[in-house]
Amino acid sequence: MDFDFSAILLGLTVVFGVVWALDRLFFYKARMTKAVAAGQEVREPVAVDWARSLFPVMLAVLLLRSFVAEPFRIPSGSMMPTLDVGDFILVNKFTYGLRMPAFNNKLVGLGEPKRGDVVVFRFPGYICTDGGKQVRSGDQSCADPHAPVPSQNWIKRIIGLPGDRVEMHGDQLLINGEPVNADEVGPYVGNPKRDESRLMLEMGATVWNEHLGAVNHLTARMPAYTTPPPIPNQRVPSEVPAGCYLVMGDNRYNSTDSRWWGCMPEENLAGKAFLIWLSLNGSGVAFDRMGRIIH
């Protein structure tokens, strides 16, 4: 989704609040005095009535979404099998600190991301070169390094922390020289009527239980589909820079992630995903997925 709902919500809250406040400061008393003198009921202008009614609601929603929990919908299969297309998740907005709504600058630091966390973040754009300088562009080919980066929320898993040395060649992931082990669970099982599942079935996808430090989670492998760039590459150095994180999708061969566009800046973090509260699988509600804790 290319529009910034947080910015729209903040803007509406400010507009309603200003309209209501200006009326109370400059117009309400005169209007009430006039109505009382005429023996009539005090009537508010339509705009003021709307502002008075909606401002508290907008403010409450803004505070909840900005500082407590925010809902997101999974739009693609890049995090399968952990998260499926049609999952509706909740994201903890204060795990890593409180941020200013819409502007996203950190107000209070409360914690740091850990390896294995599933995080939502603002897509930073592709790394391109423009006049010898590295810039972020919305154009993956970098033919237009000035292409605006769309305002989108993405979700991936943190693989590398600042200062980590990360290598990845095919399925083999190494962090600080130590291989990340994974055990094969078996072939992927899904609904062939759904596009994402049909692709994985056709490509012979297998499911693995990856041991990423203290976090055990499922990944999918389907090397017959594509070959992602290795790490390091021209966009990803061997050591993760300060203030950045390497993120990947659990669907390792079908995820446009840090391997393609570089590290995810800390200031782009939106929060940590922690719960699937609703899941729609195309034919109805997937009750078996509802209430799952995200690992």
Side-chain angles (χ1 to χ4, degrees):
M1 193 171 292
D2 291 349
F3 67 88
D4 193 329
F5 184 77
S6 295
I8 294 173
L9 184 60
L10 177 61
L12 290 174
T13 304
V14 170
V15 169
F16 290 141
V18 168
V19 170
W20 190 22
L22 288 177
D23 179 72
R24 286 285 167 171
L25 288 172
F26 300 108
F27 306 110
Y28 175 74
K29 187 177 292 186
R31 188 170 60 247
M32 183 177 64
T33 301
K34 183 179 179 180
V36 171
Q40 298 175 345
E41 182 182 354
V42 180
R43 292 183 179 274
E44 293 182 335
V46 175
V48 175
D49 186 44
W50 276 84
R52 178 182 58 80
S53 301
L54 293 177
F55 172 70
V57 177
M58 290 288 185
L59 181 61
V61 173
L62 178 67
L63 293 176
L64 286 173
R65 285 177 56 96
S66 300
F67 303 124
V68 182
E70 184 172 3
F72 290 92
R73 180 183 182 276
I74 303 301
S76 73
S78 70
M79 283 297 292
M80 294 171 70
T82 303
L83 296 173
D84 207 347
V85 178
D87 283 347
F88 290 78
I89 65 171
L90 286 178
V91 173
N92 187 320
K93 299 302 293 285
F94 57 84
T95 299
Y96 308 131
L98 302 181
R99 294 178 181 271
M100 184 69 178
F103 298 99
N104 211 44
N105 52 306
K106 185 180 288 188
L107 302 174
V108 180
L110 298 175
E112 299 296 331
K114 298 179 177 61
R115 189 180 295 113
D117 286 358
V118 177
V119 296
V120 169
F121 56 93
R122 292 170 181 262
F123 175 54
Y126 299 95
I127 295 178
C128 299
T129 302
D130 179 39
K133 297 181 179 180
Q134 284 193 339
V135 297
R136 292 282 189 172
S137 170
D139 181 1
Q140 183 174 359
S141 70
C142 290
D144 180 8
H146 301 287
V149 178
S151 178
Q152 296 175 334
N153 289 308
W154 287 31
I155 184 166
K156 305 290 178 187
R157 187 180 299 275
I158 291 182
I159 302 297
L161 304 174
D164 279 349
R165 291 176 291 106
V166 178
E167 298 178 50
M168 189 161 194
H169 305 279
D171 297 317
Q172 185 59 65
L173 174 63
L174 292 93
I175 299 177
N176 297 322
E178 296 293 328
V180 175
N181 297 318
D183 305 313
E184 185 172 3
V185 176
Y188 170 76
V189 178
N191 183 355
K193 294 182 179 180
R194 303 185 67 199
D195 292 341
E196 298 80 10
S197 295
R198 183 169 62 252
L199 171 66
M200 296 177 70
L201 291 169
E202 291 175 350
M203 293 294 112
T206 52
V207 176
W208 296 69
N209 185 22
E210 184 175 84
H211 312 294
L212 189 61
V215 178
N216 297 318
H217 67 101
L218 297 179
T219 65
R221 300 180 181 180
M222 47 179 181
Y225 178 59
T226 187
T227 304
I231 297 178
N233 61 53
Q234 61 180 355
R235 294 183 175 90
V236 186
S238 57
E239 182 172 319
V240 183
C244 261
Y245 298 89
L246 285 188
V247 296
M248 293 186 196
D250 289 346
N251 196 349
R252 291 288 166 78
Y253 286 82
N254 189 21
S255 173
T256 305
D257 48 41
S258 282
R259 293 169 291 179
W260 300 92
W261 44 259
C263 69
M264 185 269 296
E266 189 275 340
E267 60 264 25
N268 287 52
L269 271 173
K272 179 182 178 182
F274 69 94
L275 179 72
I276 301 173
W277 64 273
L278 176 66
S279 183
L280 304 177
N281 59 14
S283 59
V285 178
F287 290 101
D288 61 315
R289 298 187 60 80
M290 293 172 58
R292 288 191 186 183
I293 302 298
I294 299 172
H295 298 290

